[in-house]
Each structure stands twice: as C-alpha cells, then as structure tokens.
Amino acid sequence: MNEQRVAVVTGASAGIGAETARRLASEGFRVILGARRLERIEEIAATTGGVALPLDVRDARSVQSFCEGIESCDVLVNNAGRASGLQEVAELEDERTVAMWETNVLGLLRVTRPLIPKLIASGRGHIVNVGSTAGIEAYPGGAGYTMTKHAVRVLTRTLRLELLGKPVRVTEVAPGLVKTEFSLVRFDGDEEAAERPYRGMTPLTAEDVADCIAWAVTRPPHVNIDEIIVRPLAQASSTLIARDQDD
Ligand code: NAP
C-alpha cells in the first residue's frame, strides 16, 4: 500500500504551475501536468518523471479527455488562469470577459467536478485553488479579472462546506504580484506594458508561490490550510506598492 501519490496540476506549462509541478515531484508526487502548450509540459514531465496531457480548460471535450486520462488523484492544483487587459467597466469587452471567466472559473469547475470522486476515493485528497489577492480586493481596470478571482474564492469556500466529512482538504492560495508570463498575457504580448507592474519593486517568484502550495499540501492529513495570502513585501494592496525612487 505504498503507491506513489498523484498530483494533478493545471496550467503547468509556465510560471506558478510549472514550478508547482517541479516542487511536488521533488516532494515525491507523481505529477500529471496539463496545459495547451504540450511541448512545454512534456519537457517538464521528462525531467520530473511526470506525465504530460493536453488540456484546454475552455474546451469541455478537452477537459473530459484530460480527466479520463487520470486514473487516480490525490492532489488537484487548479492553477490554469489568465487576465486579459486592464479595462475599466465602461470599456470592458465581452470577448476578454468571457475568456477570463471560461479559463479561471468555468475551467476550474470543469476540471474539479469529474476529479472529486477520485479525490474522495484516494482517502487523502486535497484541492488547491490558485486564487489571487484580486479575489479579495478591487482595483481600477481590474473588474474583468477580479470578478473571476472573487468567484474562485467563493467556489473554494463552497467546496470546503460541501466536502465536510469527506477526506478532501480544500485550500486557496492567493498571491499578489508574481513575476511570470501572466503580465505579458494580460497585455497581449506588449513587453513594455507587461514590465510596468514590477517596476522598482521586487515581486514574488513562481517558486515562492509553489513553496506555499507545497507547504499546504505537505501538512499532516488532519490539518486543513484554508487560505494563504502571499504578497511581495513591497505590496500592501493591489494599488499600494512601494517602488524605488529612481524607477
Ligand atoms: P503564466 O505564467 O501566464 O501561466 C499561466 C498558465 O495557465 C500557463 O501554464 C497556461 O498554459 C495556463 N493556461 C492559460 N489558459 C489555459 C487554458 N485555456 N487551458 C489550460 N491551461 C491554460 O501565469 P501565472 O502567474 O503562473 O498564473 C498562474 C495562476 O496564478 C493563474 O490562475 C493566475 O490568475 C494566478 N495568479 C497570478 C498572479 C501573478 O501576478 N502572476 C497573481 C495572483 C494569481 P498554456 O498557455 O500552455 O495553456
């Protein structure tokens, strides 16, 4: 009865997801990595002894075949996510709003639903949802994204209520500014705009967040870490950031 425990990580091709996959592998998990950029997750799978499976969380059929490829699941890290633009509500485009909702909320729901029975069957399941400080705060231009992360937060809390009495822990890890490809994706590949949020301050790294996730996952099984809010020292809120004078 010494089978290797399985951790499923969505959005494992970059940033927080990639580092979480590496870290959980080093903690002894067999990691199943999902993302759209298959070559990237195949590379990480090859170096971690994991498995790479194509996954587009916006596509119900892709999620279905991803989940069908998973025999057992002890830990599910719902990390796949994105922001799109920084538009005030008066200008907020449907296309961007739908992209964020489908990825961050519907995608998370679609992956979690079929894996719940497997998490329960594991006898020691754990769902970690990567939320954001955008799930507990508002900022101008952020509504498209903050709405989705508020939804992730309430979905996480609902899961904890519904899974009470079952062997499944539920955790939200909510980071502030993390330096990944996130900003580049948000600003449609505009490198200058993508650099702006990190100017004159030291953001978190993907490893910092992976460390929080790994810590929550490796607590004794009777301990549930409800949430971890983690920010750079220089960030007090989404809009209040201490930046170096000359930047
Ligand atoms: P990132 O470097 O851009 O990574 C995003 C990951 O999500 C990629 O692996 C991407 O993979 C995946 N993804 C995006 N759309 C997907 C889809 N339709 N299907 C499957 N996978 C998809 O950004 P990150 O910072 O690591 O973001 C990870 C999570 O942290 C997100 O939920 C984000 O909202 C959250 N977060 C980030 C920050 C920050 O400041 N960076 C702060 C708080 C929370 P493919 O493109 O290969 O599919």
Side-chain angles (χ1 to χ4, degrees), residues 24-117:
L24 292 181
S26 78
E27 299 281 351
F29 284 90
R30 180 166 167 268
V31 180
I32 299 178
L33 303 97
R36 292 167 302 179
R37 286 170 291 179
L38 192 56
E39 65 296 344
R40 284 211 193 185
I41 50 174
E42 275 171 345
E43 230 177 274
I44 300 169
T47 57
T48 56
V51 178
L53 297 176
L55 172 67
D56 181 351
V57 298
R58 293 185 68 185
D59 176 349
R61 267 188 295 187
S62 166
V63 176
Q64 194 187 342
S65 49
F66 176 76
C67 292
E68 282 170 1
I70 297 168
E71 244 173 71
S72 66
C73 177
D74 298 88
V75 174
L76 167 61
V77 182
N78 279 312
N79 164 78
R82 63 173 300 186
S84 179
L86 193 64
Q87 299 176 319
E88 293 196 357
V89 174
E91 276 91 41
L92 190 51
E93 292 164 285
D94 283 357
E95 203 183 319
R96 291 186 184 273
T97 310
V98 169
M100 289 185 267
W101 271 96
E102 285 188 350
T103 310
N104 302 352
V105 186
L106 194 53
L108 184 151
L109 184 62
R110 280 185 176 138
V111 174
T112 307
R113 242 170 3 211
L115 292 182
I116 284 176

Side-chain angles (χ1 to χ4, degrees), residues 5 19-20 41 48 56 62 83 91 99 102 119 141 190 226 241:
R5 299 181 71 217
E19 285 314 318
T20 300
I41 50 174
T48 56
D56 181 351
S62 166
E91 276 91 41
E102 285 188 350
L119 286 155
D190 178 339
D226 281 12
I241 294 166

Side-chain angles (χ1 to χ4, degrees), residues 10-18 34-41 54-59 62 78-83 99 102-104 130-134 145 148-149 152 173-186 198 204 206 209 230:
T10 70
S13 61
I16 295 167
R36 292 167 302 179
R37 286 170 291 179
L38 192 56
E39 65 296 344
R40 284 211 193 185
I41 50 174
L55 172 67
D56 181 351
V57 298
R58 293 185 68 185
D59 176 349
S62 166
N78 279 312
N79 164 78
R82 63 173 300 186
E102 285 188 350
T103 310
N104 302 352
V130 179
S132 170
T133 50
Y145 181 64
T148 67
K149 289 299 183 178
V152 168
V173 174
L177 276 172
V178 193
K179 184 96 187 274
T180 61
E181 292 171 19
F182 175 85
S183 196
L184 203 59
V185 172
R186 168 171 239 167
Y198 311 118
L204 297 174
V209 183
V230 54

